[in-house]
Amino acid sequence: MAYTVPTLEPAELRAGDTWAWRREDLGDYPASTWTLTYAFRCATAYFDVVATADGEAFAISVAKATTAGKTAGSYDWTAFVSDGSERHEIGRGVLEVLPD
């Protein structure tokens, strides 16, 4: 069975798994000129994830070797785009990182 990459941020992810999702709905901020960054914050840990351009969409992928060291818990996340001179928040939410 093939894995289908979600097109929105997941509600939970497991440490030790490869994390992947896409944002295809940001036409006002094409990936050719904007950078999409996610900032994840909890009481005891934090990390950022930078998306890569996939045409005019954004692909988010974090390798299992990187996620294995993430602290389990509830993280507030904020997503923002930047073109070097402007920065705009495009989303926020809460995500649960499950233990490996």
Side-chain angles (χ1 to χ4, degrees), residues 12-97:
E12 56 183 38
L13 295 166
R14 183 167 304 280
D17 285 355
T18 300
W19 299 348
W21 67 93
R22 294 176 53 81
R23 288 297 302 261
E24 300 173 346
D25 60 337
L26 301 175
D28 290 341
Y29 309 104
S32 58
T33 54
W34 292 82
T35 300
L36 172 61
T37 303
Y38 285 85
F40 294 90
R41 306 292 186 260
C42 77
T44 60
Y46 66 90
F47 58 93
D48 293 344
V49 173
V50 178
T52 58
D54 186 5
E56 293 302 322
F58 294 95
I60 298 86
S61 182
V62 185
K64 69 177 188 158
T66 301
T67 71
K70 299 303 180 203
T71 302
S74 182
Y75 287 79
D76 292 320
W77 61 264
T78 304
F80 56 90
V81 291
S82 174
D83 70 354
S85 61
E86 294 183 41
R87 177 178 146 156
H88 303 283
E89 181 180 311
I90 55 95
R92 67 173 64 195
V94 177
L95 176 138
E96 187 75 21
V97 174

